Amino acid sequence: MSDETASSPSPAPAKKKQNLGWMEWMRGWSSVFGEILFQRITASHLENPLPLPSVNDLTCVVTGSTSGIGRETARQLAEAGAHVVMAVRNTKAAQELILQWQNEWSGKGLPLNIEAMEIDLLSLDSVARFAEALNARLGPLHVLINNAGMFAMGEAQKFSEEGYEQHMQVNHLAPALLSVLLLPSLIRGSPSRIINVNSVMHSVGFVDPDDMNVVSGRRKYSSLIGYSSSKLAQIMFSSILFKKLPLETGVSVVCLSPGVVLTNVARDLSRFLQALYAVIPYFIFSPQEGCRSSLFSATDPQIPEYWETLKNDDWPVCPFISQDCRPANPSEEAHNTETAQRVWEKTLELVGLPLDAVEKLIEGENIQCRYGAQHE
């Protein structure tokens, strides 16, 4: 070997992407404002409330179901005949709602089959305990709707009891842990679905798998960054789960946008923005309108067929349903399969699961989780 060859420098490593490019950023905000301005037009073909097919034999878990979209989702599923588990932090409020709904439903049919179970998404231990309790029933779970979310607009950065940024934990880490741990019940309920209530705001999100808590200083934290990043992380994680679940399991994974909805997320806005919300009702969906894409994704018989088509086509991202209940394509960054794989691995590390957790659960094996009663 010549000296020249021996001393040739090795190729420089590819520069790590630090954020969205300007064009991606502009396309992302275009999607956001497009949804705000035109969601009523694009969804004008939908009935309100959305008619549901027969769901008499379904068991559905709905997180965050005491207010907003989740409340409407749980109520309509129960009135359509499903067994609904309200997975909530405030079980007292849930029980009061159940009593109210039963009274309103009296005389219209059989009593609603609905119950409340406690879960706090700001505690991964609470999430694991919920999954343990539900799996211990040894019954089927047909639909898991990861509805609960938060957007603490304008607030300073806050962390969960595990030390994770609050948006990332509530909007991504906790639902991811719940989805994986409930796979035994979902497989028993096959064909079944994991439904993630996402947001068009993922289009302006960026995830650094090495800094998911946004604490390194490479990016200045804001609640907008926390929220949009968490929603993008959820799509990326769901896309890898989409790839890892064989068709034979019958478990579909879907992300969706409910549209821009007047919900309790608005309670975290400044007074000025809350007032702005109040004066532009034409553009903003009510919770009843906002839950239509959740109900569609949870019950429409074509969803498994769409899932199978994307699987067979080796599509890089999981199915995404827009607020008008039509298939949509997530952002360009959501298609970044390399980052998605790293988000998958980092997420499992943060929630205390082994990298082969999904494979083991599919095979009927037990797994160890860092959280829950098994580690008392």
Side-chain angles (χ1 to χ4, degrees):
M1 181 181 292
S2 68
D3 292 341
E4 180 180 356
T5 303
S7 61
S8 297
S10 58
K15 186 177 180 180
K16 181 180 178 181
K17 188 174 182 178
Q18 299 291 331
N19 217 323
L20 293 182
W22 278 105
M23 290 301 295
E24 292 175 290
W25 185 82
M26 291 177 66
R27 283 193 292 269
W29 279 111
S30 176
S31 297
V32 172
F33 286 111
E35 184 157 295
I36 294 172
L37 294 174
F38 301 113
Q39 64 178 10
R40 285 205 172 276
I41 297 173
T42 59
S44 61
H45 63 287
L46 297 176
E47 295 182 53
N48 187 41
L50 187 76
L52 298 182
S54 174
V55 294
N56 290 334
D57 298 324
L58 299 187
T59 295
C60 308
V61 169
V62 185
T63 66
S65 43
T66 54
S67 64
I69 298 170
R71 173 174 170 164
E72 278 297 314
T73 302
R75 181 183 64 80
Q76 291 189 45
L77 284 171
E79 290 182 356
H83 169 214
V84 176
V85 179
M86 298 175 69
V88 297
R89 183 171 53 181
N90 187 343
T91 54
K92 180 181 178 182
Q95 293 293 353
E96 291 172 353
L97 270 178
I98 292 171
L99 181 60
Q100 174 188 328
W101 292 342
Q102 295 285 17
N103 290 334
E104 293 171 351
W105 186 252
S106 179
K108 298 180 182 179
L110 294 173
L112 302 179
N113 188 3
I114 188 166
E115 61 176 306
M117 290 179 64
E118 184 177 359
I119 189 172
D120 182 358
L121 300 188
L122 277 170
S123 166
L124 295 181
D125 189 67
S126 173
V127 173
R129 288 174 181 272
F130 176 93
E132 289 166 358
L134 197 72
N135 285 332
R137 297 181 177 185
L138 300 179
L141 175 60
H142 303 97
V143 182
L144 167 62
I145 303 180
N146 288 311
N147 166 83
M150 69 173 299
F151 188 3
M153 184 176 285
E155 289 192 8
Q157 190 173 22
K158 295 180 181 179
F159 299 89
S160 70
E161 63 183 46
E162 287 86 14
Y164 304 141
E165 194 275 323
Q166 60 179 354
H167 294 94
M168 188 60 70
Q169 172 141 340
V170 171
N171 298 338
H172 168 53
L173 295 176
L177 177 61
L178 185 63
S179 298
V180 174
L181 291 182
L182 286 180
L183 278 176
S185 294
L186 286 160
I187 292 172
R188 281 195 292 270
S190 175
S192 55
R193 311 179 192 192
I194 299 171
I195 309 299
N196 295 313
V197 180
N198 201 263
S199 170
V200 69
M201 291 295 292
H202 83 272
S203 301
V204 294
F206 177 81
V207 184
D208 181 351
D210 297 322
D211 186 29
M212 290 178 70
N213 289 314
V214 196
V215 294
S216 68
R218 290 192 292 269
R219 289 188 297 162
K220 184 179 179 181
Y221 175 83
S222 70
S223 55
L224 175 61
I225 285 178
Y227 179 77
S228 60
S229 299
S230 67
K231 290 300 186 180
L232 177 60
Q234 183 179 62
I235 294 177
M236 288 181 161
F237 183 88
S238 300
S239 295
I240 301 300
L241 183 57
F242 161 72
K243 295 177 182 178
K244 286 183 174 288
L245 288 172
L247 286 172
E248 294 73 25
T249 64
V251 183
S252 307
V253 183
V254 178
C255 288
L256 65 92
S257 171
V260 182
V261 185
L262 185 61
T263 70
N264 273 6
V265 167
R267 71 177 180 263
D268 298 318
L269 306 180
S270 67
R271 290 184 178 180
F272 171 76
L273 288 174
Q274 286 189 46
L276 189 62
Y277 251 65
V279 299
I280 52 173
Y282 175 79
F283 297 102
I284 308 297
F285 279 172
S286 68
Q288 187 179 69
E289 292 169 317
C291 76
R292 291 179 297 192
S293 54
S294 294
L295 292 169
F296 174 84
S297 299
T299 65
D300 190 87
Q302 295 183 56
I303 290 294
E305 298 173 16
Y306 180 49
W307 155 273
E308 183 173 350
T309 297
L310 295 186
K311 287 279 286 184
N312 290 333
D313 290 347
D314 200 24
W315 190 244
V317 293
C318 69
F320 191 91
I321 302 298
S322 67
Q323 43 77 28
D324 58 6
C325 297
R326 294 184 174 116
N329 198 10
S331 69
E332 181 179 337
E333 184 64 15
H335 287 251
N336 189 330
T337 54
E338 180 180 347
T339 300
Q341 180 62 40
R342 294 178 61 213
V343 166
W344 169 268
E345 294 171 1
K346 189 65 175 181
T347 297
L348 292 179
E349 175 189 331
L350 294 178
V351 302
L353 291 175
L355 287 178
D356 59 352
V358 169
E359 290 82 356
K360 285 186 174 180
L361 289 171
I362 290 173
E363 294 299 322
E365 300 178 30
N366 294 323
I367 60 170
Q368 293 294 312
C369 178
R370 190 161 66 235
Y371 302 100
Q374 62 177 306
H375 282 280
E376 285 187 334

